[in-house]
Amino acid sequence: MSVPPLTLVCLSLATLFVALLPISLYRRWRKPFAFDWRDTVAGIAVFALFATVLERALNDYVLHENADFAQALSNPVAFVIYGALVAGVCEEVGRYVAMRIIARRAPRTPNAPLEGSGLAYGIGHGGAEAWFVGVLVQLQWIVFAVLANRGQLDQHLSNLTMDSVLRVHLILASLSPLFAGVFAIERIAAFVFQVGLSVLMWRGVRAGSKSILPIAIAAHAIVDVPAAMYQAQLVPLVAVDTLYVVAAVVVAIVLFRTCRSERSVARAV
């Protein structure tokens, strides 16, 4: 089999756009919001530890190693509740701890916008998700597609079982320009949500709110409910993506207005 050149180009462009989005935003906003690179690194580290290590280890135990839990989660409603909560708890606890540490540092720049640390952290956290969950995965499929077009894929996958090789071929056969567009939309929306959740958490931590952690966990869980419902085959993908696009636009508008007002206040002081 082979992947059409148009599909390969679209997938490559979508992957490149997702890869460059957090980098370009960091470079563009670094000076206006007086970013501290340590805040962004903290966001990357928290996602890497709490989402890719702790959350995956918990999911592996609950879904594969514990028969009782796995059986209970075979119920679609239970799976949706678990899937929405586990990401919220793991990521928001990590975000909360990191921002408590960030908040202890003295301001670096006089009259710097108050949302700077939240935005810098959010770009790191959301950028790490964009790369780990999106870019690196799609790069693998791009490589597989190139190998398939050269007739070298089966040789490259010779160490896998026949079922795994067949699965790779089926996924490659399903790739299309539409798939590339859906991938870009989903990753951009996820990035916007992560930045929004980071600003929300930063505002709560900065204000000394004791309820910000459960509020952030609930907000994160609500964001993850549609994706969990799709995984449980309760709703179609088009409905989930449409909802995410609308919600991401709303969050982006709120972030833009909030951060623009913060910059105006900082300049006026």
Side-chain angles (χ1 to χ4, degrees):
M1 66 153 293
S2 62
V3 177
L6 177 61
T7 296
L8 192 54
V9 170
C10 290
L11 187 58
S12 299
L13 291 176
T15 304
L16 181 63
F17 182 84
V18 172
L20 293 179
L21 177 62
I23 299 172
S24 61
L25 286 181
Y26 181 88
R27 289 173 59 89
R28 183 171 182 176
W29 291 349
R30 179 171 57 89
K31 290 184 178 180
F33 290 98
F35 282 172
D36 186 330
W37 63 270
R38 293 174 295 181
D39 300 339
T40 303
V41 170
I44 296 171
V46 166
F47 183 84
L49 175 60
F50 285 83
T52 65
V53 177
L54 297 181
E55 183 183 338
R56 288 186 181 181
L58 179 60
N59 285 336
D60 186 62
Y61 172 77
V62 170
L63 299 176
H64 303 292
E65 297 184 15
N66 190 302
D68 294 333
F69 276 125
Q71 183 175 2
L73 294 179
S74 62
N75 181 289
V77 176
F79 178 82
V80 169
I81 295 174
Y82 168 80
L85 282 176
V86 67
V89 171
C90 290
E91 290 190 48
E92 297 310 320
V93 167
R95 200 185 322 254
Y96 177 75
V97 171
M99 289 195 172
R100 286 291 300 270
I101 295 173
I102 292 171
R104 294 194 185 106
R105 294 203 306 261
R108 310 165 311 282
T109 305
N111 302 332
L114 297 177
E115 303 298 353
S117 291
L119 285 172
Y121 176 95
I123 289 175
H125 195 121
E129 182 181 48
W131 272 81
F132 290 142
V133 179
V135 174
L136 297 180
V137 174
Q138 296 308 316
L139 283 176
Q140 172 184 270
W141 290 112
I142 291 172
V143 171
F144 284 168
V146 171
L147 290 173
N149 289 349
R150 294 178 177 178
Q152 301 173 355
L153 181 60
D154 289 341
Q155 178 182 356
H156 182 78
L157 302 178
S158 59
N159 59 328
L160 298 182
T161 64
M162 186 60 65
D163 289 342
S164 297
V165 173
L166 180 60
R167 180 176 179 275
V168 170
H169 279 279
L170 289 174
I171 293 176
L172 289 177
S174 69
L175 296 181
S176 66
L178 178 61
F179 173 89
V182 170
F183 158 73
I185 289 172
E186 290 177 347
R187 289 300 98 213
I188 293 170
F191 178 80
V192 171
F193 294 144
Q194 290 289 11
V195 175
L197 288 167
S198 298
V199 171
L200 173 67
M201 179 70 81
W202 176 242
R203 285 196 156 199
V205 168
R206 199 179 67 219
S209 172
K210 296 182 179 179
S211 60
I212 187 58
L213 179 57
I215 290 174
I217 291 174
H220 197 133
I222 291 173
V223 170
D224 283 346
V225 164
M229 292 180 68
Y230 168 71
Q231 291 179 347
Q233 299 181 348
L234 296 177
V235 294
L237 180 61
V238 64
V240 173
D241 286 340
T242 301
L243 179 60
Y244 278 153
V245 168
V246 174
V249 170
V250 172
V251 172
I253 292 173
V254 173
L255 281 172
F256 176 77
R257 291 180 176 178
T258 300
C259 295
R260 183 176 61 177
S261 64
E262 288 287 351
R263 285 182 61 187
S264 299
V265 171
R267 289 174 177 176
V269 175

